[in-house]
Amino acid sequence: MKSLTVLDPQSPEARAIYHLAIVSGIIFGLIFIIVAGMIVFALMRYRWREGAADPNQLAGSKTVEIVWTLIPCLIVVALFLLTWQTMGASDPPAPATPDIVITGHQWWWEARYPKSGVVTANEIHIPAGTPMAVQLESADVLHEFWVAQLTRKMATVPDHPNHIWIQSDQPGTYLGVCSEFCGTQHAWMHFLVVAETPEQFAAWEKAQLAPAKIPASGSAAQGLALFQEHSCMNCHAINGTAAAARIGPDLTHFASRKILGAGVVENTPANLRRWLTDPQQIKPGVKMPDYKFSEAQVSQLADYFETLQ
Amino acid sequence: MSTEQFLFSAWTWNPVVLIAAGIGLAVYLFAFRAERRIGWFLLALAVFLLTLVSPINSLADGYLFSAHMLQHIVLLLIVPGLLLLSLPRSLSLSWRPRILARPLTGWIAGVGAMWFWHWPTLCNAAVTWRSVYALQTISLLVLGTLFWGQIIAPRDEERLSPPGAVLYLFSACVACSSLGIILTFSPVTVCSIYTMPVSDRLGMWETIRTGWRFTAEKDQQIGGLLMWVPMCFIYLGAIFAQIARWFGEAPAARPVTQQT
Amino acid sequence: MNEIATVLDRAGILTPEQREHWKMAWLSTVDHKRIGILYMVTGLVFFVFGGIEALLIRLQLAVPNNTLLHPDTYNMVFTMHGTTMIFLVAMPVLFGLANYIVPLQIGARDMAFPRLNAFSFWLVPFGGILLHFSFLAGGAPAVGWFAYAPLSETPYSSQPGVDYWALSLLVLGIGSVGANINFIATVLCSRAPHMTLRRLPLFSWMIFVNAFLVILALPVLNAGLVMLLIDRLLNTHFFLVPGGSAIMWQHIFWAFGHPEVYIVAIPAFAILSEIIPVFSRKPIFGYEFVAGSTVAIAFLSLGVWAHHMFTTGLGHTVDLFFVASSMLIAIPTGVKVLNWSATMIGGRLRFDTPMLFCVAALVQFLVAGLTGVSHASAALDWQTKNSYYLVAHFHFVFVGLIVFTILGALHYWIPKMSGRMLSERLGKWSFWLMVVGFNMTFIIQHFLGLAGMPRRVYTYADLPGWAWMNMVSTIGAFFMAAASLLFVWNLIVSLLHGRKAGDNPWKAWTLEWATTSPPPHENFHNLPPIRSRRPLWDVANPDRPDPVVGSRGDIDQFRPERNKTSIVAFIISETGFFTVLILAFLYYNATPQPGPNPHELDLFKTGLFSVCLFASSFTIWRAETGLRHNNQRRMIGWLSATIVLGGIFIGGQGLEYWHLFKSGVGVNSNLFATTFFTLTGFHGLHVCVGLIALFVLLGLALAGDSKKRPWPGLDAIGLYWHFVDVVWVVVLSVVYILPRIR
């Protein structure tokens, strides 16, 4: 099952942070036990009893104060050095050119691979075992890119590209989310990171580069016609057709993806039909309007999209 | 030149600095025979020499803005403070002209020294011309002494009162931090001479840019941050000393034995 | 409504004569005790709003994929919850408490400026209503309590909710600054004789230190809000691309926002420092260190804000410096916690309700402090930021520390305010419900955060562990609601039927317990001798009094003139405001941009008008000397000259604006024009306010008022006028001169 936990790191970067978390967790735990122990001791030992006189009016001790100022100083220095080291290990300097450019949109993620030219949405493929340099951008407001098991989180800021590394030790699928509030559908701005063997990754890239097949006839062909007649093309791109807009997700290989609506539902034929019937029903506030398609139209469109493997 | 070579060879044994230090020591020993606080003085001298002789000086001289900033802070805030602490406690500063005894003068001296020398033209000039550089060094020491005189004059009655001193230090801290903030976030134009060396005298450029990964932006950022954060801690330390001084006059906290 | 009068009457808060017109007596009051109570009642009313919003949030999140609230509604609810709890609950209640207690503790008759006090208070309900009016005006803000740009900008939040949010925060900010200028003036100028600054009870000391933090931090927010409003209403782009910077808003907001945390935490520390010693029957351990660490925290808190921005991408260099400075705050905070704990060791601990709340607050704050360090460590923050771990952390501060200490303080001081004790039995019940509910709600959220749940999501998928943890948290929230209801019930019952409290029910040692409960008008009939920090201890134990706290001569006796003091505090505050605007100008104009630029400004003409303004500093100084020599005619003459010179300056600036408008330069032409008009405009506004004040002075002087001695108004306005001049020196160099010589 996919999870988002930070306690199960799957990459050297995430592991560095995890180790720091363990070490500092132990330090915090010890401090808590000592100080809380002192308080509990006082609560048990020095209760007031009926008729007791006021105790010795001790007003302080300079030595004690100096000691318990210096000890935290040392702890802080140690934590600072550990943090410094971990920052270097979990977030090495970025190279001049990124491997993936990821853009946050309200409320989905666009991923471009500048070296190969692949463009996809909400599903980022990486070769396992290879660190990939990611450049983070924003098309509108602030978002935050977070794949807890693989790497640190980092904001996407308009006009201020940020850089992180992402990698996975083993092949696997990891869940990512947007963690900076970005408007109505901030909750459903999930994405998947799919780590594959280098061969699988190369095959995937190759498949993604292929233009979409044009269906010759039947329901799917009618779906394509509908797609081109309506204003779908104003927002979406399908490589191989006239649609080239970059406002909504690129749909060229839509059917190969596992999630729909940035994670709000799984990408199944049934969900796709529900989505086309009224996206606002599934993801209220999403930028895609309700086109009030007839049942037949929905079915034609869905048939077409299912060809976009 | 590699880092190790640099650390060993980049010491600038500037005779003027050494002679000045020697004269200073002689004057101190001659002038104050009783109540010497030679420890403080030697510390001041050591810090002074270390800043102007050690590799930091070579870096500040055309290579790194941040090293220049470090030097600037030490010369303005640390050396004068230590010098004032080395004066005999009974020494009165009442011979100061009235204008120099005013807190506002001290404040303007301390804050002005920061802003004035980071005016782009002057900042570049101090790297280009030795004479401007010498003037800068001397002025920093003098202005720093004026600034700290209000806080750590040898005699208690010639200092600001603790609450006043807190206000004085805090406002100075804010005024310098603002400049630090500007330096941290502005484009690399403040001291443009550091972005390209006039001449790579020590052959260090390669090491700094690739070995130490000091880009021009990072260099100015560190310079600004040094002025913003650690420098504030110097003021903050002084503020705590003032609070300690204030409460310190209260009778020491000692247990009152119970009488039953 | 008359039932309320009955309750107040029986509680002794109303005298029989006041019964008749009790509503007016409260609406028009300038008495610090009543204003204090009004503050707290207002806070309590908004607490109900904020609490209902909290419950709605928890209900929506109780189960995965819940559809109880529409996402937009949910986003409004959490935005309003955060804003309400901070600005309309925590701040008013704490300021109200301070308003009631501080004058009593320092032996003063009232606050230094009773009418300013009333004004500051009335801005709170006004601001609160303004904020909530947004519900009727097209929807509340839905941008989170820190309203990150560009989401809070018109293209992404076109409804007026954000405008209401910004305006109401401006109103509340002005009220807070007013209230805290008043605290500073009260503590400095209105202390009883012999109540030296070093003998101040810790509560008053901390409120005093906190007041400086408020007057420094709030103006920073005000400057940011003004910029946001200009963006939204005049179509500029301070925080919008192209040209503008979303990160700038974060800097401005957190430069206010981090101190803000301490603005509400320091009064909580103050309460702990007051209650723990009383119920341990011992003086605070290390008064000097507790007092000094407060100053340390206040100063440090102003320089650590960038730790809220570790994931914004400022770079490792910046991050590291802020890791260091943020971690440093842990040291003075740790010193405080240890001192409170040490106060209990060796004491005779009495577990009345106030103490119970404070002990729980102490332990919970320990947790909050430790998780706080993990946010100061950038590397850990890179994982935990914006997750429920963070939500848990700051609720441990805001609820675990602040709400608990407020409840402790109310149980402790309400007997003083009403003359009647609260019920111990109900008090203990509400305490235990609260402890259980609070820890149930928020401990689990740490783990929820580590399991990856991001904050501010209106719903979530059924991921491993999320569902049950959220359910536990929701159940806990209802325990807290029950505890709150029980507290209100306790309040009502005890005000009506509570046991009479007497002057000093807790056998405490500070001056508020030396007067009747409730205290009479003007507070004291006579004061006990003040030689130490615990005057009533000395009275009760003449055989073993506290050591006398020495007096450092004139400094401890320092009692400046209150008008001047308040103007100095106001100037400090305004400096913060202008610093932000000036830094913004420098930042946005660091690189030249297309469109109007500084070279189009007419330096010569502006120079001429500036000379007039600078000359007016001289003339007002002459007017002051005239007054000092008791020469009325000379004073009036110079005062009129000042007004004329100030008028010429404003006229000149008006002319300059007119020329710019005529040549097509408007506030939204480009960022130079925006920053230019903002900066010079606000300076001009300050000149105009100064002119109005000068006109009032002139009128008074002509009416012969200035023959009275002392006549402090002129000195105070003079200081303000000099300040406006100094600001113009900076503006002139930065806007007109600097770009020319670069």
Side-chain angles (χ1 to χ4, degrees):
Chain A
M1 192 164 199
K2 288 186 291 284
S3 94
L4 262 169
T5 178
V6 301
L7 302 177
D8 181 23
Q10 295 294 332
S11 74
E13 287 82 9
R15 211 169 294 118
I17 298 179
Y18 175 70
H19 288 154
L20 177 66
I22 298 294
V23 172
S24 41
I26 292 170
I27 297 176
F28 297 154
L30 286 177
I31 298 175
F32 180 79
I33 289 171
I34 293 169
V35 180
M38 185 167 145
I39 295 169
V40 170
F41 167 73
L43 297 185
M44 316 271 279
R45 169 72 181 73
Y46 299 106
R47 279 171 170 273
W48 180 81
R49 310 258 177 256
E50 199 61 49
D54 285 343
N56 191 349
Q57 301 293 301
L58 178 71
S61 150
K62 220 180 240 172
T63 331
V64 173
E65 301 279 358
I66 290 170
V67 169
W68 72 33
T69 310
L70 286 181
I71 294 173
C73 285
L74 296 179
I75 299 175
V76 159
V77 170
L79 277 174
F80 173 75
L81 294 176
L82 285 171
T83 302
W84 190 350
Q85 189 208 350
T86 310
M87 283 167 72
S90 61
D91 190 25
T97 50
D99 300 314
I100 316 177
V101 177
I102 294 175
T103 309
H105 294 257
Q106 277 183 327
W107 295 280
W108 60 282
W109 299 91
E110 178 185 346
R112 281 182 290 124
Y113 293 71
K115 286 169 190 161
S116 60
V118 170
V119 181
T120 181
N122 299 333
E123 194 173 300
I124 299 155
H125 286 245
I126 55 170
T130 316
M132 300 285 275
V134 177
Q135 175 167 322
L136 293 168
E137 292 175 1
S138 166
D140 36 51
V141 301
L142 299 176
H143 304 276
E144 203 165 70
F145 181 87
W146 190 28
V147 198
Q149 287 178 285
L150 298 187
T151 186
R152 62 164 294 185
K153 60 167 69 88
M154 180 62 118
T156 70
V157 184
D159 255 12
H160 178 96
N162 280 326
H163 298 90
I164 56 168
W165 290 93
I166 192 166
Q167 74 167 309
S168 162
D169 301 332
Q170 304 296 330
T173 304
Y174 306 95
L175 184 57
V177 289
C178 169
S179 56
E180 184 66 77
F181 181 65
C182 55
T184 310
Q185 276 297 343
H186 162 59
W188 291 118
M189 199 170 150
H190 291 190
F191 57 96
L192 296 178
V193 176
V194 182
E196 302 162 316
T197 59
E199 302 77 52
Q200 284 171 325
F201 177 71
W204 173 80
E205 258 192 339
K206 201 163 157 238
Q208 292 286 311
L209 280 172
K213 283 193 222 65
I214 308 292
S217 61
S219 170
Q222 284 168 319
L224 173 59
L226 262 175
F227 182 85
Q228 287 173 330
E229 276 162 31
H230 281 81
S231 49
C232 310
M233 279 171 48
N234 291 353
C235 292
H236 293 284
I238 295 179
N239 193 1
T241 72
R246 288 271 164 239
I247 293 168
D250 184 300
L251 299 177
T252 312
H253 296 283
F254 167 80
S256 71
R257 298 185 200 142
K258 294 184 191 68
I259 53 174
L260 177 60
V264 67
V265 285
E266 281 182 28
N267 189 6
T268 61
N271 281 335
L272 177 59
R273 282 178 169 74
R274 268 177 63 211
W275 177 273
L276 290 169
T277 313
D278 183 4
Q280 298 293 332
Q281 195 64 38
I282 302 181
K283 191 173 175 180
V286 67
K287 302 275 176 186
M288 177 165 160
D290 173 14
Y291 281 96
K292 308 210 181 321
F293 289 122
S294 71
E295 227 170 284
Q297 286 174 316
V298 165
S299 162
Q300 288 161 356
L301 276 169
D303 284 345
Y304 172 56
F305 289 140
E306 274 153 32
T307 67
L308 299 174
Q309 278 297 336
Chain B
M1 194 187 283
S2 74
T3 309
E4 292 81 35
Q5 286 171 324
F6 170 72
L7 285 179
F8 283 110
S9 65
W11 295 71
T12 38
W13 301 104
N14 185 343
V16 182
V17 172
L18 296 175
I19 292 169
I23 293 177
L25 184 62
V27 168
Y28 183 84
L29 292 175
F30 179 76
F32 309 116
R33 282 157 205 274
E35 280 194 85
R36 265 184 205 153
R37 291 153 64 96
I38 190 80
W40 289 109
F41 190 80
L42 290 179
L43 191 59
L45 219 52
V47 175
F48 173 73
L49 285 176
L50 211 59
T51 342
L52 290 179
V53 171
S54 77
I56 295 174
N57 190 47
S58 309
L59 287 178
D61 190 8
Y63 283 107
L64 284 182
F65 178 72
S66 45
H68 148 80
M69 183 62 82
L70 186 65
Q71 223 178 23
H72 198 116
I73 294 172
V74 171
L75 290 176
L76 181 71
L77 289 181
I78 296 181
V79 176
L82 292 171
L83 281 178
L84 280 166
L85 285 171
S86 77
L87 295 176
R89 295 294 88 182
S90 59
L91 182 75
S92 167
L93 295 184
S94 60
W95 46 268
R96 283 185 290 190
R98 257 184 65 200
I99 177 88
L100 293 188
R102 286 178 157 247
L104 188 64
T105 316
W107 194 89
I108 292 176
V111 174
M114 270 297 167
W115 282 82
F116 180 75
W117 286 112
H118 288 105
W119 203 267
T121 327
L122 287 170
C123 191
N124 285 334
V127 180
T128 322
W129 287 296
R130 302 299 309 170
S131 52
V132 180
Y133 179 69
L135 190 69
Q136 184 188 37
T137 309
I138 296 167
S139 74
L140 288 179
L141 290 171
V142 171
L143 294 172
T145 313
L146 282 177
F147 177 78
W148 283 119
Q150 299 294 331
I151 307 290
I152 40 181
R155 283 178 171 227
D156 197 53
E157 63 270 21
E158 282 165 0
R159 301 178 198 161
L160 283 171
S161 69
V166 170
L167 199 65
Y168 177 89
L169 288 165
F170 177 71
S171 51
C173 173
V174 172
C176 292
S177 299
S178 318
L179 181 58
I181 294 173
I182 296 174
L183 293 180
T184 310
F185 294 112
S186 56
V188 194
T189 50
V190 177
C191 216
S192 52
I193 198 153
Y194 285 105
T195 53
M196 278 307 290
V198 184
S199 67
D200 191 2
R201 287 170 293 110
L202 301 171
M204 272 302 287
W205 205 241
E206 179 71 20
T207 315
I208 289 174
R209 282 288 189 258
T210 54
W212 301 356
R213 291 222 184 87
F214 261 68
T215 59
E217 292 79 29
K218 195 167 168 185
D219 180 34
Q220 184 177 315
Q221 236 179 21
I222 293 180
L225 283 163
L226 279 174
M227 185 186 242
W228 182 358
V229 184
M231 187 160 147
C232 258
F233 290 156
I234 299 178
Y235 292 117
L236 211 60
I239 286 173
F240 295 150
Q242 292 304 315
I243 294 168
R245 177 177 150 222
W246 198 36
F247 282 121
E249 298 238 326
R254 65 188 119 76
V256 181
T257 40
Q258 199 168 354
Q259 295 166 343
T260 41
Chain C
M1 281 305 266
N2 268 337
E3 292 81 6
I4 298 178
T6 318
V7 175
L8 297 173
D9 193 6
R10 278 218 225 152
I13 295 170
L14 280 183
T15 61
E17 311 86 72
Q18 288 168 339
R19 255 205 84 127
E20 195 75 3
H21 303 289
W22 68 275
K23 280 176 227 160
M24 274 319 286
W26 279 81
L27 289 179
S28 63
T29 185
V30 293
D31 176 38
H32 77 96
K33 296 185 287 298
R34 291 203 173 160
I35 292 175
I37 289 173
L38 284 174
Y39 259 119
M40 286 185 267
V41 170
T42 314
L44 202 65
V45 170
F46 284 116
F47 180 71
V48 175
F49 284 54
I52 292 173
E53 282 150 5
L55 292 179
L56 282 174
I57 293 173
R58 279 321 317 166
L59 276 178
Q60 166 71 15
L61 294 181
V63 290
N65 297 312
N66 198 353
T67 53
L68 177 72
L69 298 180
H70 186 274
D72 281 328
T73 317
Y74 180 87
N75 297 341
M76 288 176 198
V77 165
F78 78 70
T79 303
M80 290 299 278
H81 167 72
T83 309
T84 304
M85 286 302 193
I86 289 168
F87 292 98
L88 294 170
V89 179
M91 288 173 83
V93 170
L94 291 167
F95 290 166
L97 202 61
N99 227 303
Y100 198 105
I101 301 302
V102 169
L104 285 166
Q105 273 197 336
I106 62 173
R109 286 187 196 156
D110 203 317
M111 296 284 281
F113 299 98
R115 270 171 287 191
L116 172 64
N117 202 18
F119 171 72
S120 309
F121 160 70
W122 285 106
L123 288 182
V124 177
F126 175 57
I129 292 168
L130 196 61
L131 178 64
H132 284 84
F133 191 73
S134 59
F135 277 114
L136 306 178
V143 289
W145 84 279
F146 42 73
Y148 266 1
L151 183 61
S152 54
E153 294 276 9
T154 320
Y156 307 104
S157 297
S158 52
Q159 298 290 335
V162 181
D163 301 316
Y164 280 97
W165 177 86
L167 274 173
S168 106
L169 257 50
L170 260 179
V171 167
L172 294 168
I174 292 167
S176 306
V177 170
N180 284 277
I181 288 177
N182 215 344
F183 287 138
I184 292 174
T186 307
V187 172
L188 279 180
C189 318
S190 308
R191 300 187 315 275
H194 306 298
M195 176 55 86
T196 63
L197 281 177
R198 274 185 300 168
R199 289 175 188 165
L200 280 185
L202 275 175
F203 182 82
S204 299
W205 168 261
M206 291 195 190
I207 295 295
F208 177 59
V209 173
N210 197 36
F212 282 96
L213 200 50
V214 174
I215 64 168
L216 284 166
L218 262 307
V220 176
L221 173 67
N222 288 351
L225 291 171
V226 162
M227 287 156 81
L228 180 64
L229 278 172
I230 292 175
D231 262 7
R232 288 181 60 88
L233 303 177
L234 302 176
N235 293 321
T236 62
H237 47 104
F238 276 114
F239 309 123
L240 270 178
V241 289
S245 159
I247 297 183
M248 186 70 174
W249 169 261
Q250 301 189 7
H251 276 299
I252 295 176
F253 190 89
W254 291 117
F256 147 79
H258 195 76
E260 169 67 20
V261 175
Y262 286 94
I263 285 170
V264 282
I266 289 179
F269 297 159
I271 294 165
L272 289 179
S273 311
E274 207 62 41
I275 293 181
I276 291 181
V278 168
F279 290 87
S280 303
R281 311 305 307 151
K282 250 179 86 209
I284 185 94
F285 191 88
Y287 175 99
E288 293 83 358
F289 289 85
V290 179
S293 60
T294 312
V295 183
I297 290 173
F299 281 131
L300 280 173
S301 74
L302 289 165
V304 300
W305 74 78
H307 71 220
H308 292 266
M309 300 161 66
F310 283 153
T311 60
T312 308
L314 299 178
H316 284 200
T317 324
V318 177
D319 285 358
L320 263 176
F321 276 87
F322 284 94
V323 170
S325 64
S326 309
M327 283 188 172
L328 278 183
I329 290 199
I331 296 167
T333 318
V335 166
K336 273 199 158 62
V337 169
L338 289 165
N339 274 308
W340 292 321
S341 314
T343 305
M344 298 198 286
I345 290 181
R348 299 275 183 277
L349 304 187
R350 303 189 49 155
F351 293 111
D352 297 301
T353 316
M355 180 66 165
L356 287 177
F357 274 112
C358 285
V359 172
L362 182 55
V363 178
Q364 283 156 186
F365 179 57
L366 179 60
V367 177
L370 292 171
T371 54
V373 178
S374 67
H375 288 292
S377 162
L380 294 179
D381 189 69
W382 289 344
Q383 282 285 27
T384 53
K385 175 98 184 290
N386 283 340
S387 74
Y388 263 79
Y389 185 85
L390 180 77
V391 175
H393 159 71
F394 69 71
H395 279 94
F396 259 76
V397 178
F398 281 112
V399 185
L401 172 71
I402 295 165
V403 171
F404 270 70
T405 48
I406 286 177
L407 286 171
L410 291 177
H411 283 91
Y412 180 66
W413 273 305
I414 278 181
K416 174 55 60 183
M417 299 173 191
S418 70
R420 285 174 188 275
M421 303 298 285
L422 292 181
S423 154
E424 269 298 304
R425 198 171 52 84
L426 289 176
K428 289 206 166 109
W429 266 103
S430 62
F431 167 73
W432 286 112
L433 273 173
M434 196 74 184
V435 172
V436 171
F438 166 74
N439 286 292
M440 210 169 146
T441 314
F442 292 111
I443 286 180
I444 198 101
Q445 289 187 1
H446 290 107
F447 300 100
L448 200 48
L450 294 180
M453 178 149 163
R455 72 193 286 204
R456 295 174 167 176
V457 288
Y458 77 93
T459 191
Y460 52 91
D462 192 2
L463 289 168
W466 287 23
W468 71 266
M469 288 201 261
N470 271 299
M471 182 50 93
V472 169
S473 186
T474 300
I475 296 170
F478 280 86
F479 274 86
M480 296 203 320
S484 310
L485 285 179
L486 204 59
F487 168 72
V488 173
W489 175 244
N490 187 0
L491 205 62
I492 295 167
V493 170
S494 304
L495 282 184
L496 285 172
H497 308 292
R499 188 159 53 82
K500 281 265 192 307
D503 291 359
N504 191 357
W506 311 113
K507 299 203 179 56
W509 305 301
T510 39
L511 286 182
E512 74 268 33
W513 305 103
T515 182
T516 54
S517 307
H521 191 59
E522 304 213 325
N523 297 345
F524 294 96
H525 294 300
N526 49 7
L527 279 169
I530 304 164
R531 287 182 317 231
S532 69
R533 290 172 184 140
R534 301 192 299 168
L536 296 195
W537 168 271
D538 297 347
V539 171
N541 298 277
D543 51 324
R544 47 165 179 162
D546 272 355
V548 174
V549 174
S551 135
R552 212 191 149 90
D554 22 326
I555 303 156
D556 273 337
Q557 293 301 339
F558 184 58
R559 252 185 207 72
E561 200 281 313
R562 64 186 177 125
N563 294 287
K564 249 180 155 167
T565 311
S566 62
I567 286 290
V568 169
F570 180 65
I571 288 174
I572 293 176
S573 175
E574 290 296 273
T575 311
F577 182 80
F578 277 109
T579 304
V580 176
L581 291 188
I582 291 167
L583 287 181
F585 182 89
L586 286 170
Y587 176 81
Y588 287 121
N589 293 287
T591 44
Q593 41 197 311
N597 65 69
H599 298 277
E600 287 172 27
L601 300 172
D602 189 339
L603 180 59
F604 178 71
K605 271 192 203 154
T606 313
L608 277 183
F609 300 131
S610 307
V611 170
C612 289
L613 189 67
F614 299 145
S616 71
S617 252
F618 172 76
T619 55
I620 201 162
W621 173 67
R622 291 303 298 164
E624 285 164 27
T625 11
L627 183 72
R628 212 156 293 135
H629 295 149
N630 216 354
N631 189 334
Q632 294 290 325
R633 278 186 50 196
R634 214 169 77 196
M635 191 269 284
I636 291 174
W638 285 113
L639 197 55
S640 318
T642 312
I643 294 178
V644 171
L645 287 171
I648 293 177
F649 173 79
I650 280 296
Q653 208 182 14
L655 216 61
E656 184 182 16
Y657 277 22
W658 174 247
H659 283 303
L660 285 173
F661 288 142
K662 246 186 12 193
S663 61
V665 180
V667 71
N668 57 358
S669 300
N670 69 356
L671 268 166
F672 163 70
T674 311
T675 47
F676 167 79
F677 282 115
T678 309
L679 183 53
T680 56
F682 271 98
H683 177 265
L685 186 69
H686 279 71
V687 175
C688 292
V689 170
L691 281 175
I692 293 170
L694 288 173
F695 266 117
V696 172
L697 279 182
L698 185 64
L700 285 171
L702 288 174
D705 187 66
S706 57
K707 292 201 184 73
K708 276 191 259 164
R709 276 300 118 88
W711 202 58
L714 183 60
D715 275 356
I717 301 300
L719 271 178
Y720 172 80
W721 194 257
H722 293 315
F723 164 72
V724 170
D725 273 12
V726 171
V727 171
W728 186 250
V729 174
V730 180
V731 173
L732 189 69
S733 2
V734 164
V735 178
Y736 292 86
I737 299 174
L738 186 68
R740 267 160 222 269
I741 54 178
R742 227 183 357 211

